[in-house]
Amino acid sequence: MMDHEQKELTVTIVVTCASLSLVGALYTLTCFALIPKLRRVFSFRLVFFITLNDITSSIFYLMNPVTIFKPEGGYECQTQAFALGYFDISSMMWTAAAACTMHIAVESALNLRSAPLNNRLVCIYFCFCQIGPILPSVMPFFFNAYGHSGIWCWVKSGDGESLEI
């Protein structure tokens, strides 16, 4: 278990990183919105989806349940726990999809400028990366496993003590 000073340091580090991530993601989103050429490039469309997930994840990391939520947890705590799990997994899956796209482009010399192929790949990636994380993020609800976990709300351990994250 972390002592009070370690928890404060952890909160400071995570909030700082989440703030920087949010600023960077908002900049990326602004560039995507203002520069029409970027919207036509397939790889930047993948970056757009990664950015949306990172923005949402950063917002939920900026919520400190110790000061915002009820000490015993509740709806807000459950929402934060679900959102952190879902958007972090989804962001990693979008990153894997971008890496897969680069691998496909390099190894098979596939023409990623083809609009029908791009639209099909985006649809496949969207189903995999946005719908796929729902199951592992919803499962803890069935076991009443979401709750305070040290500093943020996440998955509680089975023995009644919280998991430190």
Side-chain angles (χ1 to χ4, degrees):
M1 296 295 274
M2 291 192 280
D3 63 19
H4 183 70
E5 286 181 16
Q6 290 172 324
K7 285 183 180 183
E8 282 187 13
L9 179 61
T10 302
V11 168
T12 302
I13 291 170
V14 171
V15 167
T16 301
C17 291
S19 300
L20 293 172
S21 177
L22 186 60
V23 168
L26 289 172
Y27 175 76
T28 303
L29 195 62
T30 302
C31 289
F32 189 82
L34 296 177
I35 304 171
K37 272 187 171 179
L38 291 180
R39 293 191 294 271
R40 290 189 298 262
V41 178
F42 179 70
S43 58
F44 281 101
R45 288 170 55 194
L46 298 179
V47 170
F48 170 76
F49 287 112
I50 295 170
T51 300
L52 290 180
N53 282 287
D54 285 347
I55 286 172
T56 310
S57 181
S58 294
I59 289 169
F60 280 98
Y61 273 112
L62 291 172
M63 299 172 133
N64 186 346
V66 175
T67 57
I68 297 174
F69 304 145
K70 303 171 200 155
E72 70 276 0
Y75 173 74
E76 300 92 349
C77 185
Q78 302 281 318
T79 303
Q80 183 188 38
F82 170 79
L84 288 178
Y86 176 80
F87 289 108
D88 285 349
I89 293 170
S90 182
S91 183
M92 286 185 283
M93 291 175 84
W94 276 110
T95 303
C100 180
T101 300
M102 286 189 280
H103 175 75
I104 290 170
V106 170
E107 289 295 317
S108 67
L110 186 65
N111 182 6
L112 290 175
R113 295 184 190 275
S114 166
L117 175 64
N118 287 349
N119 292 337
R120 197 173 91 214
L121 276 176
V122 167
C123 184
I124 291 168
Y125 288 162
F126 185 85
C127 289
F128 180 71
C129 299
Q130 289 300 133
I131 297 171
I134 290 175
L135 180 64
S137 300
V138 168
M139 282 180 53
F141 283 119
F142 295 113
F143 304 104
N144 194 28
Y146 281 142
H148 279 289
S149 175
I151 302 170
W152 281 267
C153 294
W154 197 53
V155 179
K156 302 178 288 189
S157 71
D159 59 6
E161 292 183 26
S162 63
L163 297 171
E164 294 288 343
I165 60 170

